[in-house]
Amino acid sequence: MDKTLELELIRVETLADWEICRSIRKAELHDARGRSDMYVENKTGDHDVCNETYIARLGGVPVGTIRSDYIAGSRCCIRQMAVVADYHGRSIGSRLVSFVEKRARIANKRMLVVNAALSAVGFYERLGFIASVWDADDIRGYENEAIQMIKSLA
């Protein structure tokens, strides 16, 4: 695959878009981690009006997905980010985060937050996130699998 192809981000709105998004999430966030039994198709918050879910396409091929939750006040939370395994190492994840960061700035948010899987902590650190609890209730039950991280947009 040509690395010079432009990454296209499409807001998930149609049933077909949701099926693509859920397929990527299931494969990358659950099946690949041996957690297929924990997959929930309709995630809480997917259809909230304050949240946006996107599919990333490279040359028309779906290669990733991300959801941003605009939390009341100053925060925007990155959720359910996944990149198709065959496309790892092509900066797709960092481009997805950059896209959400730009949208958060436009929405006058002052902080990006994420519950980062332990395997993704280094990725988020390279993007300027630091470990910091931003909502202990939001991570309850997953404390052994993820840590909370923040990035100031000020």
Side-chain angles (χ1 to χ4, degrees):
M1 173 68 62
D2 183 356
K3 285 187 176 184
T4 63
L5 291 174
E6 184 175 333
L7 190 68
E8 177 185 22
L9 290 155
I10 299 155
R11 183 145 184 202
V12 174
E13 295 178 327
T14 69
L15 182 56
D17 291 341
W18 279 111
E19 288 174 0
I20 291 166
C21 175
R22 290 178 181 133
S23 173
I24 294 170
R25 285 177 178 175
K26 183 176 184 308
E28 304 306 327
L29 300 178
H30 297 276
D31 296 349
R33 297 177 182 175
R35 301 170 29 160
S36 298
D37 59 321
M38 295 181 72
Y39 177 70
V40 176
E41 185 169 291
N42 292 305
K43 295 295 292 180
T44 301
D46 271 350
H47 301 285
D48 288 358
V49 296
C50 294
N51 303 340
E52 299 175 347
T53 302
Y54 291 88
I55 297 170
R57 295 178 192 231
L58 194 62
V61 176
V63 297
T65 185
I66 194 167
R67 187 177 98 197
S68 56
D69 293 6
Y70 294 96
I71 301 169
S74 63
R75 298 178 297 184
C76 176
C77 183
I78 294 170
R79 297 198 191 270
Q80 300 294 309
M81 186 175 84
V83 175
V84 173
D86 289 347
Y87 293 88
H88 288 186
R90 298 185 188 195
S91 301
I92 291 168
S94 58
R95 290 159 71 186
L96 286 168
V97 172
S98 176
F99 174 79
V100 168
E101 182 176 332
K102 287 176 189 168
R103 303 231 355 118
R105 287 180 188 279
I106 290 168
N108 294 316
K109 299 299 179 178
R110 295 188 307 271
M111 185 181 304
L112 277 182
V113 299
V114 65
N115 291 327
L118 297 178
S119 61
V121 169
F123 166 79
Y124 285 106
E125 287 175 336
R126 286 189 297 279
L127 297 178
F129 286 78
I130 59 169
S132 181
V133 175
W134 52 269
D135 183 346
D137 289 335
D138 196 77
I139 200 168
R140 194 167 319 284
Y142 297 96
E143 297 94 335
N144 295 328
E145 300 175 36
I147 65 166
Q148 293 191 322
M149 301 185 81
I150 64 171
K151 179 179 181 178
S152 174
L153 301 180

